[in-house]
Short mmCIF file of all heavy atoms in Angstrom, two decimals:
data_model
loop_
_atom_site.label_atom_id
_atom_site.label_comp_id
_atom_site.label_asym_id
_atom_site.label_seq_id
_atom_site.Cartn_x
_atom_site.Cartn_y
_atom_site.Cartn_z
N GLN A 2 -45.75 4.03 11.36
CA GLN A 2 -45.09 5.30 11.55
C GLN A 2 -45.10 6.07 10.24
O GLN A 2 -44.66 5.58 9.21
CB GLN A 2 -43.65 5.03 12.01
CG GLN A 2 -42.92 6.23 12.49
CD GLN A 2 -43.35 6.66 13.88
OE1 GLN A 2 -43.79 5.86 14.67
NE2 GLN A 2 -43.21 7.94 14.16
N SER A 31 -43.08 20.64 4.62
CA SER A 31 -41.74 20.97 5.11
C SER A 31 -41.27 19.86 6.03
O SER A 31 -42.08 19.09 6.55
CB SER A 31 -41.74 22.30 5.87
OG SER A 31 -42.47 22.17 7.08
N GLN A 33 -38.40 19.16 9.29
CA GLN A 33 -37.55 19.82 10.26
C GLN A 33 -36.70 18.76 10.97
O GLN A 33 -37.08 17.60 11.07
CB GLN A 33 -38.41 20.56 11.28
CG GLN A 33 -39.32 21.59 10.63
CD GLN A 33 -40.30 22.20 11.60
OE1 GLN A 33 -40.37 21.83 12.76
NE2 GLN A 33 -41.06 23.18 11.11
N TYR A 35 -34.59 18.23 14.68
CA TYR A 35 -34.39 18.69 16.04
C TYR A 35 -33.29 17.85 16.69
O TYR A 35 -33.11 16.67 16.34
CB TYR A 35 -35.66 18.51 16.88
CG TYR A 35 -36.82 19.38 16.46
CD1 TYR A 35 -37.60 19.07 15.35
CD2 TYR A 35 -37.15 20.52 17.20
CE1 TYR A 35 -38.66 19.87 14.97
CE2 TYR A 35 -38.22 21.33 16.83
CZ TYR A 35 -38.96 20.99 15.73
OH TYR A 35 -40.03 21.79 15.36
N GLN A 37 -32.04 16.76 20.67
CA GLN A 37 -32.44 16.78 22.05
C GLN A 37 -31.34 16.18 22.91
O GLN A 37 -30.86 15.08 22.64
CB GLN A 37 -33.74 15.98 22.26
CG GLN A 37 -34.28 16.02 23.67
CD GLN A 37 -35.56 15.21 23.81
OE1 GLN A 37 -35.86 14.35 23.00
NE2 GLN A 37 -36.33 15.49 24.84
N GLY A 40 -32.54 15.20 29.39
CA GLY A 40 -33.11 16.09 30.39
C GLY A 40 -33.58 17.43 29.86
O GLY A 40 -34.00 18.29 30.65
N GLU A 41 -33.52 17.62 28.55
CA GLU A 41 -33.96 18.88 27.95
C GLU A 41 -34.99 18.62 26.86
O GLU A 41 -35.22 17.48 26.45
CB GLU A 41 -32.77 19.63 27.34
CG GLU A 41 -31.72 20.05 28.35
CD GLU A 41 -32.25 21.10 29.34
OE1 GLU A 41 -33.14 21.88 28.95
OE2 GLU A 41 -31.78 21.10 30.51
N GLY A 42 -35.65 19.69 26.40
CA GLY A 42 -36.56 19.56 25.28
C GLY A 42 -35.82 19.62 23.95
O GLY A 42 -34.69 20.10 23.89
N PRO A 43 -36.43 19.11 22.88
CA PRO A 43 -35.80 19.19 21.56
C PRO A 43 -35.60 20.64 21.14
O PRO A 43 -36.40 21.52 21.48
CB PRO A 43 -36.81 18.50 20.64
CG PRO A 43 -37.63 17.65 21.55
CD PRO A 43 -37.71 18.39 22.83
N LEU A 86 -30.24 12.90 20.86
CA LEU A 86 -31.33 12.28 20.11
C LEU A 86 -31.70 13.23 18.98
O LEU A 86 -31.98 14.41 19.21
CB LEU A 86 -32.54 12.06 21.04
CG LEU A 86 -33.83 11.57 20.37
CD1 LEU A 86 -33.66 10.15 19.87
CD2 LEU A 86 -35.00 11.63 21.37
N TYR A 92 -44.65 18.58 8.44
CA TYR A 92 -46.06 18.91 8.28
C TYR A 92 -46.57 18.19 7.03
O TYR A 92 -46.14 18.51 5.92
CB TYR A 92 -46.26 20.41 8.10
CG TYR A 92 -46.09 21.23 9.35
CD1 TYR A 92 -44.93 21.97 9.55
CD2 TYR A 92 -47.09 21.29 10.31
CE1 TYR A 92 -44.76 22.75 10.69
CE2 TYR A 92 -46.94 22.07 11.45
CZ TYR A 92 -45.77 22.79 11.64
OH TYR A 92 -45.62 23.55 12.76
N TYR A 97 -51.82 21.24 7.79
CA TYR A 97 -50.82 22.11 8.41
C TYR A 97 -50.94 22.11 9.93
O TYR A 97 -50.23 22.81 10.60
CB TYR A 97 -51.01 23.56 7.93
CG TYR A 97 -50.66 23.79 6.49
CD1 TYR A 97 -51.13 24.90 5.83
CD2 TYR A 97 -49.88 22.89 5.78
CE1 TYR A 97 -50.83 25.13 4.50
CE2 TYR A 97 -49.57 23.11 4.45
CZ TYR A 97 -50.04 24.23 3.81
OH TYR A 97 -49.74 24.47 2.51
N GLY A 98 -51.86 21.27 10.44
CA GLY A 98 -52.19 21.39 11.84
C GLY A 98 -51.04 21.22 12.80
O GLY A 98 -50.72 22.11 13.58
N LYS A 99 -50.43 20.04 12.74
CA LYS A 99 -49.40 19.78 13.72
C LYS A 99 -48.34 18.88 13.11
O LYS A 99 -48.58 18.17 12.14
CB LYS A 99 -49.98 19.14 14.98
CG LYS A 99 -50.87 17.92 14.73
CD LYS A 99 -51.61 17.53 15.99
CE LYS A 99 -52.41 16.25 15.79
NZ LYS A 99 -53.43 16.36 14.75
N LEU A 100 -47.16 18.94 13.69
CA LEU A 100 -46.04 18.18 13.19
C LEU A 100 -46.21 16.68 13.45
O LEU A 100 -46.75 16.28 14.49
CB LEU A 100 -44.75 18.63 13.87
CG LEU A 100 -44.09 19.91 13.37
CD1 LEU A 100 -42.94 20.27 14.30
CD2 LEU A 100 -43.60 19.74 11.95
N PHE A 102 -43.78 13.50 14.06
CA PHE A 102 -42.39 13.23 14.44
C PHE A 102 -41.99 11.82 14.07
O PHE A 102 -42.79 10.88 14.18
CB PHE A 102 -42.19 13.43 15.95
CG PHE A 102 -42.06 14.86 16.36
CD1 PHE A 102 -43.19 15.62 16.64
CD2 PHE A 102 -40.81 15.46 16.46
CE1 PHE A 102 -43.07 16.95 17.01
CE2 PHE A 102 -40.69 16.79 16.83
CZ PHE A 102 -41.82 17.54 17.11
N ILE A 107 -30.70 7.89 18.17
CA ILE A 107 -29.80 8.19 19.30
C ILE A 107 -28.37 8.08 18.80
O ILE A 107 -27.91 7.01 18.40
CB ILE A 107 -30.04 7.23 20.47
CG1 ILE A 107 -31.46 7.40 21.01
CG2 ILE A 107 -29.01 7.48 21.58
CD1 ILE A 107 -31.82 6.43 22.11
N ARG B 9 -39.51 21.24 37.29
CA ARG B 9 -38.62 20.46 36.44
C ARG B 9 -38.65 18.99 36.83
O ARG B 9 -38.58 18.11 35.98
CB ARG B 9 -37.17 20.96 36.55
CG ARG B 9 -36.88 22.22 35.79
CD ARG B 9 -37.03 22.04 34.28
NE ARG B 9 -36.30 20.90 33.73
CZ ARG B 9 -35.06 20.95 33.27
NH1 ARG B 9 -34.38 22.06 33.34
NH2 ARG B 9 -34.50 19.87 32.75
N LYS B 31 -50.68 28.20 19.01
CA LYS B 31 -50.66 26.74 19.05
C LYS B 31 -49.75 26.25 20.17
O LYS B 31 -48.60 26.68 20.29
CB LYS B 31 -50.19 26.20 17.71
CG LYS B 31 -51.13 26.56 16.56
CD LYS B 31 -50.53 26.31 15.19
CE LYS B 31 -50.47 24.84 14.86
NZ LYS B 31 -50.05 24.62 13.45
N TYR B 35 -46.50 16.78 25.06
CA TYR B 35 -45.98 15.49 24.64
C TYR B 35 -45.51 14.70 25.86
O TYR B 35 -45.04 15.26 26.84
CB TYR B 35 -44.78 15.66 23.70
CG TYR B 35 -45.14 16.11 22.31
CD1 TYR B 35 -45.25 17.47 22.01
CD2 TYR B 35 -45.36 15.19 21.29
CE1 TYR B 35 -45.59 17.89 20.73
CE2 TYR B 35 -45.69 15.60 20.00
CZ TYR B 35 -45.80 16.94 19.74
OH TYR B 35 -46.12 17.36 18.47
N GLN B 37 -42.79 11.63 26.81
CA GLN B 37 -41.61 10.99 26.23
C GLN B 37 -40.86 10.21 27.29
O GLN B 37 -40.50 10.77 28.34
CB GLN B 37 -40.67 12.04 25.62
CG GLN B 37 -39.45 11.46 24.94
CD GLN B 37 -38.45 12.53 24.53
OE1 GLN B 37 -38.28 13.52 25.22
NE2 GLN B 37 -37.80 12.33 23.38
N GLY B 40 -34.95 9.00 25.73
CA GLY B 40 -34.39 8.57 24.46
C GLY B 40 -35.38 8.00 23.47
O GLY B 40 -34.99 7.49 22.42
N GLU B 42 -39.36 8.12 21.32
CA GLU B 42 -40.11 9.07 20.49
C GLU B 42 -41.09 9.88 21.31
O GLU B 42 -41.44 9.54 22.45
CB GLU B 42 -40.84 8.31 19.39
CG GLU B 42 -41.88 7.32 19.89
CD GLU B 42 -42.41 6.49 18.74
OE1 GLU B 42 -43.03 7.07 17.82
OE2 GLU B 42 -42.21 5.27 18.76
N LEU B 45 -47.82 12.69 21.29
CA LEU B 45 -48.70 13.84 21.49
C LEU B 45 -49.89 13.43 22.33
O LEU B 45 -50.62 12.49 21.99
CB LEU B 45 -49.17 14.36 20.13
CG LEU B 45 -50.09 15.57 20.15
CD1 LEU B 45 -49.36 16.79 20.68
CD2 LEU B 45 -50.65 15.84 18.76
N TYR B 48 -53.33 19.05 22.48
CA TYR B 48 -52.91 20.25 21.78
C TYR B 48 -54.03 21.28 21.78
O TYR B 48 -55.20 20.96 22.06
CB TYR B 48 -52.43 19.95 20.36
CG TYR B 48 -53.46 19.34 19.42
CD1 TYR B 48 -54.14 20.13 18.50
CD2 TYR B 48 -53.69 17.97 19.42
CE1 TYR B 48 -55.05 19.56 17.62
CE2 TYR B 48 -54.59 17.40 18.56
CZ TYR B 48 -55.27 18.20 17.65
OH TYR B 48 -56.17 17.63 16.78
N TYR B 50 -55.20 25.07 19.64
CA TYR B 50 -54.96 26.03 18.57
C TYR B 50 -55.32 27.45 18.97
O TYR B 50 -55.28 28.36 18.15
CB TYR B 50 -55.71 25.62 17.31
CG TYR B 50 -55.12 24.43 16.60
CD1 TYR B 50 -55.82 23.76 15.61
CD2 TYR B 50 -53.85 23.95 16.91
CE1 TYR B 50 -55.28 22.67 14.96
CE2 TYR B 50 -53.30 22.86 16.27
CZ TYR B 50 -54.02 22.22 15.29
OH TYR B 50 -53.48 21.13 14.66
N PRO B 98 -46.54 26.04 7.89
CA PRO B 98 -45.64 24.89 7.74
C PRO B 98 -44.16 25.23 7.77
O PRO B 98 -43.33 24.32 7.71
CB PRO B 98 -46.03 24.34 6.37
CG PRO B 98 -46.56 25.50 5.63
CD PRO B 98 -47.25 26.37 6.64
N TYR B 100 -42.86 26.98 10.30
CA TYR B 100 -42.52 27.26 11.68
C TYR B 100 -42.32 25.97 12.47
O TYR B 100 -43.12 25.05 12.41
CB TYR B 100 -43.61 28.10 12.34
CG TYR B 100 -43.77 29.45 11.71
CD1 TYR B 100 -44.86 29.74 10.90
CD2 TYR B 100 -42.80 30.43 11.91
CE1 TYR B 100 -45.00 30.98 10.31
CE2 TYR B 100 -42.93 31.68 11.33
CZ TYR B 100 -44.03 31.96 10.53
OH TYR B 100 -44.16 33.17 9.94
N GLY B 101 -41.25 25.97 13.23
CA GLY B 101 -40.98 24.83 14.09
C GLY B 101 -41.59 25.04 15.46
O GLY B 101 -42.22 26.04 15.75
N TYR B 102 -41.37 24.04 16.30
CA TYR B 102 -41.86 24.11 17.66
C TYR B 102 -40.74 24.61 18.59
O TYR B 102 -39.57 24.26 18.41
CB TYR B 102 -42.26 22.70 18.15
CG TYR B 102 -43.53 22.14 17.57
CD1 TYR B 102 -44.24 22.76 16.55
CD2 TYR B 102 -44.03 20.93 18.05
CE1 TYR B 102 -45.39 22.20 16.03
CE2 TYR B 102 -45.19 20.37 17.53
CZ TYR B 102 -45.86 21.01 16.54
OH TYR B 102 -47.00 20.45 16.02
N PHE B 104 -39.76 24.11 22.37
CA PHE B 104 -40.06 23.22 23.48
C PHE B 104 -39.57 23.80 24.80
O PHE B 104 -38.55 24.49 24.85
CB PHE B 104 -39.37 21.86 23.29
CG PHE B 104 -40.05 20.96 22.31
CD1 PHE B 104 -39.73 21.03 20.96
CD2 PHE B 104 -40.99 20.03 22.71
CE1 PHE B 104 -40.35 20.21 20.04
CE2 PHE B 104 -41.61 19.18 21.80
CZ PHE B 104 -41.29 19.28 20.46
N GLY B 105 -40.30 23.47 25.86
CA GLY B 105 -39.80 23.74 27.20
C GLY B 105 -38.78 22.67 27.59
O GLY B 105 -38.52 21.73 26.83
N SER B 106 -38.22 22.83 28.77
CA SER B 106 -37.20 21.88 29.24
C SER B 106 -37.81 20.60 29.81
O SER B 106 -37.08 19.66 30.11
CB SER B 106 -36.32 22.55 30.30
OG SER B 106 -35.61 23.63 29.73
#
Side-chain angles (χ1 to χ4, degrees):
Chain A
Q2 190 77 26
S31 67
Q33 302 173 356
Y35 294 78
Q37 184 180 20
E41 297 294 330
L86 173 68
Y92 286 103
Y97 291 161
K99 51 192 185 299
L100 281 172
F102 282 86
I107 297 176
Chain B
R9 283 296 308 270
K31 297 167 74 173
Y35 286 87
Q37 183 188 35
E42 63 188 296
L45 180 66
Y48 61 100
Y50 287 166
Y100 297 106
Y102 287 6
F104 283 88
S106 296

